[in-house]
Structure formats: structure tokens, C-alpha cells
Amino acid sequence: RVHCTGYSNGGRFCMRLASEMSDIIASVAPVSGLRYPQPNNARRPIPLLAFHGEMDPVNPWGGHGKDYWQASVPEAFMKWAQFNQCGGASMAPAFVNL
């Protein structure tokens, strides 16, 4: 099994791999690349740890970037939490502002 991490486009690629190869990808930890693929073809919950800054001009925190980056980071996080059947997934996530 493979643990995947990447920065920006590499992070988005990890999210795609988690969706398309969930039998091989054990977990993902994107840096400035958290997204929820549409459709998500993962066959099991995917452990996830994400890092993302609010000032990212390429992958905007609030979404509405390029065609591949329409959803916000919190929205993508919530969709993964729901997919992974996390308790409290309907609650707004808490983020640390460093």
C-alpha cells in the first residue's frame, strides 16, 4: 500500500489517486491541494491529513479558482468527512490559524 503526499498539483494528483486507486492508496496528505473528485470512485474510507494556506493564489482557500478548483477547501474537507463516514461530518470543520 502507498501513502501519497504532494504539493499543489501533486496534492490534487494524490486526491485523484485516492479516488481511482483506493485499493492501493493507503492514505493521502495533500499540501495546498485538497479537493474532492467528482465523481469519487473510492471504494473505502481514505485517511486524510491536509495542509492549506488562506493566501494561496493557485488553489484558493475559498474556491472559485480555475476550472479544476471550484470548491472551497472547507467544502472539500466536509465531503471527504461525509464520504469517510466520520462522526460529526455534518458539523463545520475547525481550522487552526497559524
Side-chain angles (χ1 to χ4, degrees):
R1 306 224 339 161
V2 176
H3 301 276
C4 188
T5 189
Y7 173 70
S8 195
N9 188 41
R12 293 191 305 271
F13 184 63
C14 286
M15 302 316 297
R16 179 67 183 264
L17 289 177
S19 171
E20 300 297 327
M21 301 174 64
S22 61
D23 55 329
I24 296 172
I25 301 298
S27 67
V28 292
V31 179
S32 295
L34 177 64
R35 63 183 292 273
Y36 187 82
Q38 299 287 348
N40 182 359
N41 298 313
R43 297 184 193 149
R44 63 171 184 80
I46 303 292
L48 169 66
L49 174 66
F51 301 90
H52 201 105
E54 294 177 336
M55 305 289 288
D56 188 334
V58 177
N59 302 311
W61 174 265
H64 308 293
K66 301 209 184 248
D67 290 341
Y68 60 81
W69 198 270
Q70 291 300 304
S72 70
V73 172
E75 181 181 342
F77 190 82
M78 291 286 293
K79 287 182 178 183
W80 273 110
Q82 290 167 351
F83 175 82
N84 286 343
Q85 300 176 353
C86 296
S90 61
M91 299 168 43
F95 298 97
V96 176
N97 189 4
L98 300 174

